Amino acid sequence: MTDTLNLSHWINGEKVDADRPGESRNPSNTNEVVARTPKGGAAEVDAAVTAARAAFPAWSEASPEVRSDILDRASNILMERKDQVGRLLSREEGKTLAEGIGETARAARILKYFAGEALRIHGQNLMSTRPGVEIQTYRQAVGVFGLITPWNFPIAIPAWKMAPAIAFGNTVVIKPAGPTPATAEALIAILHEAGLPKGVVNMVIGDGDVGRAIVGHPDIDGISFTGSQTVGASVGKGAMERQARVQLEMGGKNPLIVLDDADLERAVAIALDGSFFATGQRCTASSRLIVQDGIHDRFVALLAEKVAGLKVGDALDPSTQMGPAVSESQMETSYSYIDVARSAGGRIATGGNRLNLDQPGWYVQPTLIADTTAAMRINTEEVFGPVASTIRVKDYEEALAIANGVEFGLSAGIATTSLKYARDFQRRARAGMVMVNLATAGVDYHVPFGGSKKSSYGAREQGFAAAEFFTQQKTAYSWS
């Protein structure tokens, strides 16, 4: 599939034609335009919110079985088309084809999971302190949600925000990320094919003007955002100024501690996975490798060998192990941080050079930087690319202090065969998710997702935790 797609907004169940001044390009071959895109603004957002508000009463009061059946059908359709949609994802975002298909299958499973959750909204019966009074608690839909999604998981994250929102009876206005609108549009189209009523899910394509219009719209009751800290802070401020509920996921600078007693081969494998798969463009990526002195040199040498052996190339080539960055700016960000680390005294163990492949693309050579210190910018700022750095430490306590010593706190990992250190790390790591002998990147869809410190704000995403954000509790008293 190499045809250029012509995308439209989805408002009130219909595609809305408009001029298409924008485009998304194939990062593996920048000569190829994947999609031509409209540029929405406040008017389109207002129309989408109006449609969502009109659809809310009937959708929220419908039998949960109706919502469950639609999500289940959409899941089945998406799973049947996972190869086709996954290929589109890889063309547009740059993930390898295996990663693109895998993410698409994950999105289908998220829809399937929340098809079940739609039937499991429950409350409690409680005894009152007053004789003859009964108390019940139950959950209700909130209203209209604005969803602002990133480009690095262009179908999984829209799925894990939209699925619980609509499963619990809410309606949605979604803004997909600028580099990857075609992948999000494929999901929207499948939901409508599955029988979603008009106005329940609306999509407006555009730039920051669309996001700002969503955040500031008085008829949007809640906002779920995934992206950078800088933008997230403005989203949170805008939502709270008008008392809208808000949920923010804002990245990480995730540590992987490797202790002397670790299984070296496994430690290297999980560092390779966590730092470089998906081109390092994961908020849970292992960007800080904190390695105890006794194993440090062997770990760096073996990991550098593995990183140097990664085949970088066209995302659709079955032999490619790492695809390109999503955009030219993302590519340049990675190279700029490599230069910053080199200037600060970091040693390039492997990589660090510009790549010139047979076709034009936004390729980054996977890079491992050794001999860095915890205070260097490479270890305090999110790079969001295939770049990892190592920090040498004397013992576990020093490693833990460095792991906890940044403003992020999304995911944290440790490689060790010590039950003592593993359990202590689970308790004391200041992160929302903790991994023992596993890559920091790689989470299940049926359990809570989120971080601590400046990585996250508000209720957790995914799994059973999603009900906290996408429903509101009501307490009912009755006398009989």
Side-chain angles (χ1 to χ4, degrees):
M1 179 175 59
T2 57
D3 293 340
T4 299
L5 302 174
N6 289 314
L7 303 186
S8 301
H9 309 300
W10 278 84
I11 299 175
N12 202 30
E14 305 289 340
K15 289 187 175 184
V16 178
D17 283 332
D19 292 338
R20 297 181 176 91
E23 62 185 24
S24 64
R25 287 188 174 267
N26 181 349
S28 295
N29 182 356
T30 53
N31 291 327
E32 180 187 339
V33 177
V34 177
R36 300 199 185 279
T37 59
K39 183 180 180 181
E44 288 78 12
V45 169
D46 191 59
V49 174
T50 298
R53 180 62 64 192
F56 175 71
W59 182 247
S60 61
E61 294 167 10
S63 166
E65 192 172 61
V66 171
R67 301 193 291 268
S68 176
D69 287 349
I70 290 171
L71 285 168
D72 188 61
R73 283 196 295 271
S75 172
N76 293 338
I77 295 168
L78 185 57
M79 190 63 81
E80 289 170 2
R81 298 177 191 167
K82 68 180 186 298
D83 291 351
Q84 173 188 341
V85 177
R87 185 178 181 85
L88 172 62
L89 191 160
S90 294
R91 284 179 64 220
E92 190 173 49
E93 196 272 349
K95 281 184 169 73
T96 65
L97 185 57
E99 290 169 335
I101 293 171
E103 182 184 334
T104 303
R106 177 189 178 92
R109 292 187 176 100
I110 290 167
L111 298 179
K112 182 78 70 174
Y113 174 85
F114 281 105
E117 288 296 279
L119 300 169
R120 286 191 284 266
I121 303 174
H122 57 80
Q124 292 179 305
N125 288 331
L126 299 102
M127 294 182 65
S128 172
T129 58
R130 293 167 288 174
V133 176
E134 295 181 352
I135 303 173
Q136 294 86 34
T137 68
Y138 53 97
R139 292 187 176 274
Q140 292 183 312
V142 176
V144 179
F145 278 92
L147 310 179
I148 302 173
T149 60
W151 49 259
N152 63 322
F153 285 91
I155 197 165
I157 292 181
W160 88 44
K161 291 182 188 295
M162 279 194 293
I166 62 179
F168 301 140
N170 303 285
T171 56
V172 163
V173 176
I174 183 169
K175 176 202 173 297
T180 55
T183 306
E185 197 272 346
L187 178 58
I188 302 296
I190 285 173
L191 284 166
H192 284 90
E193 183 181 343
L196 195 71
K198 292 183 176 182
V200 173
V201 170
N202 308 271
M203 181 181 73
V204 180
I205 298 171
D207 54 22
D209 289 343
V210 173
R212 284 184 285 273
I214 288 174
V215 171
H217 202 288
D219 282 334
I220 286 183
D221 301 293
I223 297 164
S224 180
F225 166 87
T226 299
S228 69
Q229 275 191 354
T230 301
V231 178
S234 66
V235 170
K237 181 179 179 181
M240 286 180 276
E241 281 179 347
R242 56 183 190 81
Q243 290 82 54
R245 59 176 58 192
V246 64
Q247 174 186 67
L248 308 173
E249 291 295 340
M250 298 173 288
K253 191 65 183 172
N254 309 294
L256 172 66
I257 293 174
V258 181
L259 296 183
D260 284 349
D261 66 0
D263 178 324
L264 178 60
E265 293 284 344
R266 181 162 187 84
V268 168
I270 65 177
L272 187 71
D273 179 338
S275 301
F276 298 99
F277 288 1
T279 319
Q281 296 175 148
R282 298 184 284 188
C283 57
T284 51
S286 311
S287 54
R288 294 183 296 146
L289 308 176
I290 304 167
V291 189
Q292 197 171 355
D293 187 67
I295 202 173
H296 178 274
D297 292 347
R298 287 180 293 146
F299 174 85
V300 170
L302 186 54
L303 180 58
E305 179 185 340
K306 298 290 187 184
V307 172
L310 290 174
K311 181 181 177 183
V312 180
D314 191 316
L316 300 182
D317 183 339
S319 66
T320 293
Q321 294 173 290
M322 195 186 89
V326 72
S327 64
E328 183 177 17
S329 63
Q330 205 62 39
M331 176 187 72
E332 293 299 338
T333 294
S334 292
Y335 281 121
S336 70
Y337 272 103
I338 292 169
D339 291 341
V340 165
R342 185 188 282 118
S343 298
R347 173 174 63 86
I348 305 299
T350 188
N353 298 313
R354 297 270 174 170
L355 289 178
N356 293 306
L357 303 185
D358 292 339
Q359 61 191 26
W362 294 309
Y363 297 102
V364 179
Q365 187 174 42
T367 301
L368 178 65
I369 306 169
D371 303 331
T372 70
T373 64
M376 289 181 181
R377 284 181 60 196
I378 193 66
N379 291 317
T380 60
E381 299 175 13
E382 188 175 34
V383 178
F384 223 67
V387 181
S389 51
T390 66
I391 304 169
R392 187 191 299 261
V393 295
K394 293 180 181 179
D395 54 29
Y396 168 74
E397 289 296 333
E398 183 184 4
L400 180 65
I402 290 173
N404 288 337
V406 296
E407 63 183 12
F408 295 94
L410 183 55
S411 183
I414 189 169
T416 181
T417 55
S418 166
L419 179 61
K420 170 187 173 182
Y421 289 132
R423 293 301 187 204
D424 186 79
F425 184 74
Q426 285 180 324
R427 290 191 301 270
R428 295 171 63 197
R430 295 192 62 199
M433 298 174 290
V434 180
M435 312 292 185
V436 176
N437 294 319
L438 291 166
T440 58
V443 297
D444 289 358
Y445 57 84
H446 66 300
V447 295
F449 177 96
S452 63
K453 297 188 278 187
K454 291 187 177 180
S455 284
S456 300
Y457 181 89
R460 289 290 190 249
E461 294 195 278
Q462 293 204 85
F464 56 85
E468 288 297 323
F469 185 68
F470 289 109
T471 66
Q472 54 191 357
Q473 281 198 330
K474 181 173 284 187
T475 303
Y477 296 84
S478 60
W479 178 80
S480 59

